[in-house]
């Protein structure tokens, strides 16, 4: 088993855990954390391909962009969650079913 | 272009143009356009006289011009139309033109103030056009078309005063009765066409001579053609329409129902004479002879002046038909031309009297007295001298008195009949018909003259207001009276007792073309007529004199009482007075059964067919509609259409459970889908 496969397997596990979190968690923050996991699984793949797959610096650059995006996304998502809490007094995604008040 | 063609085209089409103008814009023209029709007919008169003069100068008995063009051509047959101009055509054209012009001029006064004055002239022009078509036709096709056209114009003019029921009924009766004859005529024409393949006279004559149609078929074709003549020339048993046709205006009666149209049957028989087989000729002779005698006996008891003339026309037409049957067809045509003149004149005379009566009655404010009844007249001689003399001259002519035209032709017909009896040694009945009718004719004509013009006036009040008719009505009387003198028909011969002259020279008899002919040759006929001439003349003079004398004694001198003899001969009188119950007989054996059949058919149609069959259909349809309705509504709509709806609803209901609105579920489905896709790809 070569090293790339190990990274890819790890990334796949991370991705699956992320998806699992997104699907199963009721807590919006936990869902957000699942998304972070998915993004990081992708990042891990980029880096692994950059190192072993001949993607070179392009992989690094992509990874950096993803981190920046993840930061921005976290900011926006947390803002949404705060609004959610203000409206529903809860951050349980199941309870946020109304499109308008 | 050939000069004859030019003339005939003008003669043929001028009245048609006049008809077109009159019918469409006549009302808006000055004087309601009577001058258009009169102009057209006078032009045809001038042209006819020119043709006639040409014929006299030529003096050629075999003169013949034939113009034809292809009218219809198919792979199997070709129909051509055209004109045949020979001496018979020219003489007939002149006769039609003279009488037609006379009627047009006469109508100026007679029809003055009528509400449909321009229409009347339009119809007259239409009639002149159609009649010229019959005369000019060189084929059965054009002849038949014109034949129907004269029938139409006759119908229109008989029913001209259609406000009167009797007039519109008479029109219908004339039209329908003619139809019976015309069916036979059509069958005759078509059987000739089927056998020979052409409508034109020359082809038909050649075909018969070549034996393309012989024996029974030829006889049947001849009988068919004769049926046409029976209808048009009002021979027994289709004579019933002519007396009723007197409902039309008197100039029309003179033109159409006395002089020209009713003679069309005779004219046609003259044209087709060479192809008539001996059997046909015998039938023709008997029908004609019987009609001559039979109609004369009815005329005796008529009291309506026009009815007397109508039956006398029937009788004279019978004479002509009989002459054709005896083989002397030149004589038939001779009588046709002569009869046209004096009979039209008699009608104009009667019209003049009726016109005067109408005026007198109008002045008296009397609308009940019959203006045509001779019992209301009497003594009019002093009031209407021109009319009186015109009628006397014509009556002398029709009675067959020497010096007058009628003598020549009537004598020739009787000679022809006597010749036939001498040749064959049988058919004596025809002699009885011929001489009997001659006797009765003289009697009833002078009965009419004496009742109308002599003795004391029967209704002095009316008599006081009577006066002579206006000049426009007297001109035709004078002209036609002149033409009733023998000399016009016998020149250059001036012997009043012999009919020999230009006419007999120019209208040469055609040999019969029937193969294996039993008809005697022209020479034999003429020879036998020549031998019979003298005895026939003496006998006819005696019978005419007897008839005249009888009328004089009975109605002028009143030495023999008409009333007493009426009582003595009561059964005969009743028969004659009721016209032998022919109309009643037809009513019994034709109309009533027909109505019964119609009732029965109506019953079948309405009560049986409609009620059970048609309504049955309705009910079946109704029931079927119900079933279909149930199938449609309960089955299709409820089951299938609504079923689709319900199943969609059910499907939607079950599917909507997937649509939870929870994003996480959707992501789960998406993840599952991806996993499944991956698995599929790996497989």
């Amino acid at each position: 088993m070569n090293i790339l496969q190990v990274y890819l397997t790890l990334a796949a596990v991370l991705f699956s855990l992320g998806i699992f979190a997104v699907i199963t968690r009721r807590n919006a923050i936990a869902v957000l954390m699942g998304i972070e996991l998915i993004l990081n699984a992708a990042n891990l793949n980029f880096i692994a391909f950059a190192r072993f797959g001949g993607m070179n610096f392009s992989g690094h650059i992509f990874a950096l962009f993803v981190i920046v995006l993840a930061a921005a996304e976290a900011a926006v998502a947390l803002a949404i969650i705060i609004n959610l809490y203000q409206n529903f007094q809860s951050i349980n995604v199941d309870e946020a079913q109304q499109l308008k008040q | 272009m050939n000069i004859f063609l030019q003339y005939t085209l003008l003669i043929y089409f001028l009245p048609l143009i006049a008809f077109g103008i009159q019918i469409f814009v006549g009302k808006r023209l000055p004087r309601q356009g009577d001058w258009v029709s009169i102009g057209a007919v006078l032009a045809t008169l001038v042209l006819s006289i020119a043709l006639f003069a040409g014929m006299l100068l030529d003096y050629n008995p075999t003169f013949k011009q034939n113009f034809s063009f292809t009218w219809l051509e198919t792979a199997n047959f070709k129909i051509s139309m055209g004109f045949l101009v020979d001496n018979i055509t020219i003489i007939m054209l002149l006769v039609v033109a003279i009488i037609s012009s006379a009627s047009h001029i006469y109508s100026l006064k007679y029809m003055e103030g009528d509400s449909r004055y321009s229409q009347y002239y339009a119809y007259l022009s239409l009639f002149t056009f159609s009649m010229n078509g019959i005369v000019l036709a060189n084929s059965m096709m054009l002849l038949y078309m014109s034949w129907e056209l004269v029938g139409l114009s006759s119908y229109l003019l008989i029913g001209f005063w259609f406000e009167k029921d009797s007039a519109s009924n008479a029109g219908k009766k004339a039209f329908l009765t003619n139809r019976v004859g015309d069916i036979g005529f059509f069958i005759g024409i078509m059987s000739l066409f089927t056998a020979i393949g052409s409508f034109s006279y020359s082809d038909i004559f050649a075909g018969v001579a070549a034996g393309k149609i012989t024996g029974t078929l030829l006889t049947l074709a001849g009988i068919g053609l004769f049926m046409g003549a029976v209808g048009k020339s009002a021979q027994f048993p289709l004579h019933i329409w002519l007396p009723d046709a007197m409902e039309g205006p008197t100039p029309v009666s003179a033109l159409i129902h006395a002089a020209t149209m009713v003679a069309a049957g005779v004219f046609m028989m003259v044209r087709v004479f060479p192809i008539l087989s001996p059997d046909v000729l015998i039938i023709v002779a008997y029908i004609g002879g019987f009609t001559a005698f039979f109609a004369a006996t009815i005329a005796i008891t008529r009291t309506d002046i026009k009815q007397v003339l109508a039956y006398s026309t029937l009788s004279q037409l019978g004479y002509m038909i009989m002459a054709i049957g005896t083989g002397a067809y030149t004589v038939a045509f001779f009588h046709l031309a002569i009869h046209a003149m004096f009979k039209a004149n008699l009608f104009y005379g009667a019209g003049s009297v009726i016109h005067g009566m109408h005026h007198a009655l109008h002045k008296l404010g009397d609308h009940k007295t019959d203006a045509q009844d001779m019992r209301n007249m009497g003594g009019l001689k002093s009031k209407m001298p021109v009319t009186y003399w015109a009628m006397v001259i014509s009556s002398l002519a029709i009675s067959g008195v020497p010096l007058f035209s009628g003598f020549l032709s009537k004598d020739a017909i009787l000679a022809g009949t006597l010749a036939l009896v001498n040749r064959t040694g049988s058919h004596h009945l025809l002699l009885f018909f011929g001489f009997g009718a001659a006797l009765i004719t003289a009697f009833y004509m002078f009965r009419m003259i004496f009742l109308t013009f002599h003795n004391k006036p029967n209704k002095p009040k009316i008599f006081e207001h009577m006066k002579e008719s206006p000049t426009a009505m007297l001109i035709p009387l004078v002209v036609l009276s002149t033409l009733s003198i023998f000399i016009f028909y016998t020149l250059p011969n001036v012997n009043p007792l012999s009919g020999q002259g230009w006419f007999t020279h120019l209208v040469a008899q055609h040999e019969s073309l029937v193969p294996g002919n039993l008809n005697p040759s022209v020479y034999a006929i003429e020879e036998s007529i020549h031998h019979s001439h003298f005895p026939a003349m003496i006998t006819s003079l005696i019978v005419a004199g007897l008839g005249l004398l009888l009328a004089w004694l009975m109605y002028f001198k009143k030495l023999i009482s008409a009333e007493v003899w009426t009582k003595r001969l009561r059964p005969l009188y009743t028969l004659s007075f009721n016209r032998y119950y022919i109309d009643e007989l037809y009513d019994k054996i034709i109309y009533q059964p027909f109505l019964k059949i119609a009732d029965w058919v109506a019953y079948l149609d309405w009560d049986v067919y409609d009620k059970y069959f048609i309504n049955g259909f309705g009910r079946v349809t109704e029931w079927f509609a119900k079933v279909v309705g149930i199938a449609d509504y309960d089955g299709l709509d409820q089951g299938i259409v609504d079923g689709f709806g319900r199943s969609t609803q059910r499907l939607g209901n079950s599917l909507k459970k997937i649509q939870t609105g929870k994003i996480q579920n959707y992501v789960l489905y998406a993840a599952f889908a991806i996993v499944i896709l991956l698995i599929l790809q790996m497989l």
Side-chain angles (χ1 to χ4, degrees), chain B residues 334 400-405 407-409 411-412 415 486-487 490 493-500 533-534 536-538 540-541:
Chain B
F334 193 32
V401 174
L403 291 180
F404 298 98
S405 60
F407 169 76
L408 305 172
S409 54
D411 178 48
F486 79 99
I487 198 132
T490 58
N493 186 344
V494 287
N495 175 4
L497 296 182
S498 158
Q500 299 296 319
H533 182 68
F534 191 70
M537 185 175 78
I538 297 296
S540 78
L541 275 177

Side-chain angles (χ1 to χ4, degrees), chain B residues 437-458:
Chain B
L439 174 89
I440 301 170
T441 304
F443 175 72
Y444 69 68
M445 284 319 293
F446 280 89
R447 167 178 175 267
M448 182 194 82
I449 294 282
F450 293 139
L451 279 179
T452 311
F453 293 103
H454 287 273
N455 295 331
K456 271 186 225 123
N458 290 330

Side-chain angles (χ1 to χ4, degrees), chain A residues 22-23 25-26 31 93-94, chain B residues 660-662 664-665 667-668 671:
Chain A
V22 167
I23 291 170
R25 294 293 99 182
R26 294 284 178 273
V31 173
V93 288
D94 283 355
Chain B
T660 54
K662 290 173 186 160
Q664 286 167 326
N665 283 356
V667 177
L668 180 64

Side-chain angles (χ1 to χ4, degrees), chain B residues 210-230:
Chain B
K212 281 189 191 162
I213 174 168
T214 49
T216 317
L217 197 56
L218 183 61
T219 303
L220 285 178
I223 290 174
L225 296 179
F226 179 54
M227 266 184 78
V230 167

Side-chain angles (χ1 to χ4, degrees), chain B residues 181-195:
Chain B
D182 289 350
I183 288 169
F185 189 34
F186 190 71
I187 293 172
I189 292 176
M190 288 319 286
S191 41
L192 287 173
F193 179 72
T194 317

Side-chain angles (χ1 to χ4, degrees), chain B residues 69-389:
Chain B
F69 68 96
T70 306
W71 181 58
L72 183 71
E73 191 166 13
T74 71
N76 301 323
F77 60 88
K78 191 175 115 177
I79 298 174
S80 52
M81 294 241 250
F83 298 143
L84 169 69
V85 182
D86 61 7
N87 294 339
I88 293 181
T89 310
I90 293 175
I91 293 170
M92 193 67 189
L93 272 181
L94 184 66
V95 169
V96 172
I98 290 176
I99 309 289
S100 194
S101 311
S103 269
H104 277 72
I105 293 168
Y106 189 87
S107 303
L108 275 176
K109 284 289 166 202
Y110 194 85
M111 298 301 288
E112 197 176 31
D114 194 277
S115 56
R116 289 186 300 276
Y117 186 70
S118 65
Q119 232 176 58
Y120 172 79
Y121 271 102
Y123 293 160
L124 276 191
S125 293
L126 177 67
F127 171 76
T128 310
F129 159 74
S130 323
M131 190 65 211
N132 283 340
I134 291 185
V135 177
L136 287 168
N138 79 339
S139 69
M140 291 285 183
M141 192 76 196
L142 185 56
L143 176 77
Y144 188 74
M145 286 176 176
S146 307
W147 190 267
E148 296 301 340
L149 272 174
V150 288
L152 170 71
S153 15
S154 155
Y155 164 76
L156 291 172
L157 285 165
I158 294 171
F160 186 71
W161 287 320
F162 55 76
E163 296 89 346
K164 275 196 295 181
D165 270 350
S166 56
S168 73
N169 284 340
K172 277 181 266 180
K173 187 173 179 182
F175 201 75
L176 291 176
T177 313
N178 266 304
R179 199 78 312 101
V180 178
D182 289 350
I183 288 169
F185 189 34
F186 190 71
I187 293 172
I189 292 176
M190 288 319 286
S191 41
L192 287 173
F193 179 72
T194 317
I196 293 163
S198 170
F199 285 115
S200 86
Y201 295 138
S202 48
D203 291 347
I204 288 175
F205 287 179
V208 170
K212 281 189 191 162
I213 174 168
T214 49
T216 317
L217 197 56
L218 183 61
T219 303
L220 285 178
I223 290 174
L225 296 179
F226 179 54
M227 266 184 78
V230 167
K232 201 57 91 197
S233 292
Q235 294 300 294
F236 181 83
L238 298 182
H239 64 282
I240 49 166
W241 68 269
L242 188 58
D244 287 31
M246 297 303 136
E247 288 289 342
T250 305
V252 169
S253 307
L255 171 62
I256 302 183
H257 305 117
T260 53
M261 185 190 84
V262 288
V266 179
F267 180 80
M268 186 265 290
M269 294 305 281
V270 169
R271 270 271 188 260
V272 300
F273 180 80
I275 63 165
L276 297 178
S277 67
D279 298 335
V280 179
L281 289 181
I282 287 303
I283 295 174
V284 170
Y286 272 95
I287 296 264
F290 180 69
T291 309
F293 184 74
F294 162 86
T297 56
I298 299 180
I300 303 176
T301 54
R302 298 298 97 196
T303 52
D304 182 314
I305 187 165
K306 276 180 84 178
Q307 290 285 317
V308 175
L309 294 178
Y311 280 101
S312 120
T313 307
L314 284 180
S315 170
Q316 299 299 311
L317 288 167
Y319 266 125
M320 297 175 211
I321 294 285
M322 181 170 77
I324 287 169
T326 58
Y329 80 80
T330 313
V331 171
F333 187 54
F334 193 32
H335 195 52
L336 192 168
I338 287 172
H339 170 259
M341 300 303 162
F342 65 63
K343 184 49 68 63
N345 197 21
L346 282 168
F347 268 103
Y348 293 140
S352 169
V353 172
I354 295 167
H355 190 69
M357 289 288 285
H358 269 300
H359 274 270
L361 290 173
H362 188 70
K363 266 189 198 147
L364 290 169
D366 183 349
H367 297 291
K368 278 190 195 136
T369 310
D370 187 352
Q372 304 191 4
D373 197 323
M374 292 189 292
R375 286 170 300 190
N376 297 332
M377 301 170 188
L380 298 180
K381 182 182 168 187
S382 56
K383 291 277 189 178
M384 312 180 91
V386 181
T387 308
Y388 168 69
W389 283 110

